[in-house]
Amino acid sequence: MTTTIDTAAPAAAETGRRGSAAVRWWVLAVIGIAQLMVVLDATVVNIALPAAQADLGFGDGDRQWVITGYALAFGSLLLLGGRLSDLFGRRTAFITGLIGFAVASAIGGAATSFEMLVAARVGQGVFGALLAPAALSLLTVTFTEPAERARAFGIFGAVAGTGGAIGLLLGGALTEWASWRWVMFVNLGFAAVALVGAVLLLAKHVATDRPRLDLPGTLSVTAALFAIVYGFSHAESAGWSDPLTLGFLLGGAVLLAVFVWLQTRVAHPLLPLRIVLDRTRGASYLTVFVMGIGMFAIFLFLTYYLQLTLGYTPITTGLAFLPMVAGMVISSTTAPSVLLPRVGPKVVVSGGFAIAAVGMLLLTRIGLDSSYATDILPALVILGLGLGGAMSVAFQGATSGVGHTDAGVASATINTSQQVGGSIGTALLSTIAAAAASDYLTGRTLSPEAVAQSAIESYTTSFWWATAIFAAGAVIVGFLMPNTVPAPAEGEPVLAH
């Protein structure tokens, strides 16, 4: 008698366990909306800041706290937020993060004082640190079939990569056509749509054991990340030799070393070291970290150049970035599904870095009377194509092969890499740009032409450094990342029935 084994049964059972394909794509839409809200909030406020400053009457020395308050809360609490989503359920963390982020945004939009605005931004950072890891971990455990996973991470990578540019466009449009307050109030619409989808589509968490939190690890890494992010933020205004800057950076490094030591000693570590020591995941975290440093030069200095040198309005500046957004969308949605299976992650990520370096190199040619069509547009398209492909594959690799109990903290680690990289980029490139402008003016008469050219020198110098950073990223990832397609993460029932 011949026994027939139904090989389709396990696959069918798994599909049924995690819901139909159509429902999973609706979940992706919900996750994407939430991720877009968190990512664009890092830049949407920047363009509106001068209008908010004029309305609320705070000084130039205080305005950095509107940006830094968000960055400090978000960056220092991400790992805790990721572990909380593992312990208490991704749906619970996702919904709590959405509601909290919306409430904080409403308070910020209604702010009547500088202190109220900063408190709202800190609140956004706190709940964003809970929401962002929950979103990526939901994606990780929902899409485990290779073809679906590649497409899903491509779309998610496009959202994560283009959110900053979309934030510039949205911030410019809302500030110019409505009020700076709407850069806060707009989050209520995003959160409402995502909240309805989450309540309808996501399954409730069923606890199988008592959650345990690594309290010493949580305290040490939260303090370490806070000190590092604050140290780099303080360096931007006070310089690298300032005692406060050095104290926070050194203290952060010591606390980070303490955290790593603790993770090898405790029974239930906040961040099991197996997550970051895997070569694929480790190289993916490094990829996003290096991108966070280099992309700062694109968004900040090119925005300055377009507005202050070429005279673009805020909304025109946002529109100018759209070709880069288009390039990122194209490469993010094709690289994981088309290139990754054929050439492997090492080639895609290293190649993406190399392409981005070429695009950044083209931006070093700008001058006082450059043309957008010939000097800026080609660079933005190339940058979008390179960064989009590398980022989408890195997001997929960062959560490859993790069990569902670690998906949240693995997702938080990649968000932390991006946030800390951005903080370093802010301080490092701003300092380099300021030094370049000062060096150019040394020994010259302070005429309007000389001052204008000194600004160009600051921009192009930052672009040269970003070129080198992307090129170094291509080499380092080429050495570290294995050229094998990342394994899917462990699936988990996340869809409501």
Side-chain angles (χ1 to χ4, degrees):
M1 180 178 179
T2 303
T3 302
T4 302
I5 299 175
D6 184 4
T7 56
E14 174 67 11
T15 299
R17 186 169 70 89
R18 290 183 291 112
S20 69
V23 176
R24 287 199 295 276
W25 291 110
W26 278 111
V27 170
L28 174 61
V30 171
I31 294 170
I33 291 170
Q35 177 69 12
L36 178 62
M37 180 179 70
V38 173
V39 174
L40 67 80
D41 219 67
T43 57
V44 71
V45 174
N46 292 22
I47 286 182
L49 195 53
Q53 183 178 356
D55 189 15
L56 298 180
F58 53 89
D60 290 346
D62 293 329
R63 65 183 178 187
Q64 65 163 326
W65 287 104
V66 179
I67 307 300
T68 305
Y70 178 85
L72 286 173
F74 186 65
S76 61
L77 294 174
L78 272 165
L79 284 177
L80 174 60
R83 183 48 89 192
L84 288 177
S85 74
D86 288 331
L87 297 179
F88 298 104
R90 279 166 264 286
R91 181 184 188 269
T92 301
F94 189 78
I95 290 176
T96 303
L98 279 173
I99 294 172
F101 201 96
V103 171
S105 298
I107 293 172
T112 57
S113 66
F114 168 71
E115 292 78 13
M116 187 174 175
L117 179 60
V118 172
R121 290 287 286 166
V122 171
Q124 285 182 318
V126 170
F127 288 102
L130 187 63
L131 179 59
L136 182 54
S137 60
L138 278 168
L139 181 72
T140 299
V141 300
T142 301
F143 292 90
T144 58
E145 192 275 322
E148 274 194 352
R149 179 178 172 85
R151 290 193 297 271
F153 271 88
I155 294 169
F156 187 86
V159 171
T162 61
I166 294 173
L168 293 175
L169 175 58
L170 188 61
L174 291 173
T175 303
E176 194 167 320
W177 293 340
S179 162
W180 70 266
R181 297 181 182 277
W182 277 97
V183 303
M184 294 287 191
F185 288 142
V186 72
N187 290 328
L188 299 179
F190 287 119
V193 173
L195 181 60
V196 171
V199 171
L200 294 177
L201 297 175
L202 299 179
K204 293 182 179 179
H205 177 67
V206 179
T208 56
D209 53 15
R210 184 179 180 181
R212 297 181 182 180
L213 185 64
D214 169 20
L215 189 58
T218 298
L219 293 175
S220 60
V221 77
T222 300
L225 292 172
F226 181 94
I228 290 169
V229 173
Y230 180 79
F232 279 109
S233 298
H234 190 71
E236 182 184 0
S237 56
W240 296 99
S241 59
D242 181 78
L244 197 60
T245 299
L246 293 174
F248 270 96
L249 290 177
L250 291 174
V254 171
L255 286 169
L256 201 58
V258 170
F259 168 71
V260 173
W261 178 80
L262 285 172
Q263 298 311 281
T264 65
R265 298 293 189 273
V266 297
H268 302 281
L270 177 70
L271 176 61
L273 295 184
R274 63 178 179 273
I275 291 177
V276 295
L277 293 179
D278 175 86
R279 287 181 61 196
T280 297
R281 291 194 293 267
S284 297
Y285 299 139
L286 181 63
T287 295
V288 176
F289 173 77
V290 174
M291 281 186 182
I293 298 175
M295 285 180 69
F296 172 80
I298 309 170
F299 291 133
L300 183 70
F301 294 112
L302 191 55
T303 297
Y304 284 165
Y305 173 71
L306 293 173
Q307 290 193 25
L308 301 181
T309 302
L310 298 187
Y312 286 22
T313 64
I315 190 168
T316 306
T317 301
L319 290 171
F321 280 97
L322 284 184
M324 189 179 85
V325 173
M328 294 189 82
V329 170
I330 291 170
S331 60
S332 293
T333 52
T334 56
S337 57
V338 177
L339 295 178
L340 181 60
R342 289 173 171 79
V343 300
K346 176 186 293 191
V347 175
V348 176
V349 175
S350 293
F353 267 128
I355 292 169
V358 171
M360 192 63 79
L361 184 63
L362 292 177
L363 284 178
T364 62
R365 304 177 305 155
I366 61 171
L368 290 172
D369 55 355
S370 294
S371 163
Y372 175 80
T374 58
D375 298 318
I376 300 171
L377 177 61
L380 288 177
V381 173
I382 293 171
L383 279 163
L385 292 172
L387 294 174
M391 180 170 285
S392 59
V393 172
F395 267 86
Q396 184 170 339
T399 55
S400 65
V402 296
H404 66 82
T405 56
D406 290 331
V409 74
S411 302
T413 304
I414 195 167
N415 282 284
T416 303
S417 300
Q418 189 175 34
Q419 181 65 33
V420 174
S423 297
I424 291 175
T426 301
L428 177 64
L429 295 177
S430 291
T431 305
I432 290 170
S438 178
D439 289 346
Y440 179 82
L441 290 174
T442 301
R444 286 184 169 87
T445 303
L446 291 181
S447 64
E449 293 78 10
V451 172
Q453 187 59 44
S454 72
I456 298 296
E457 292 295 321
S458 72
Y459 306 149
T460 55
T461 301
S462 70
F463 293 152
W464 275 111
W465 274 82
T467 300
I469 289 168
F470 286 149
V475 174
I476 294 170
V477 171
F479 276 112
L480 293 181
M481 181 174 279
N483 204 34
T484 53
V485 177
E490 181 183 337
E492 182 188 38
V494 295
L495 307 183
H497 296 289

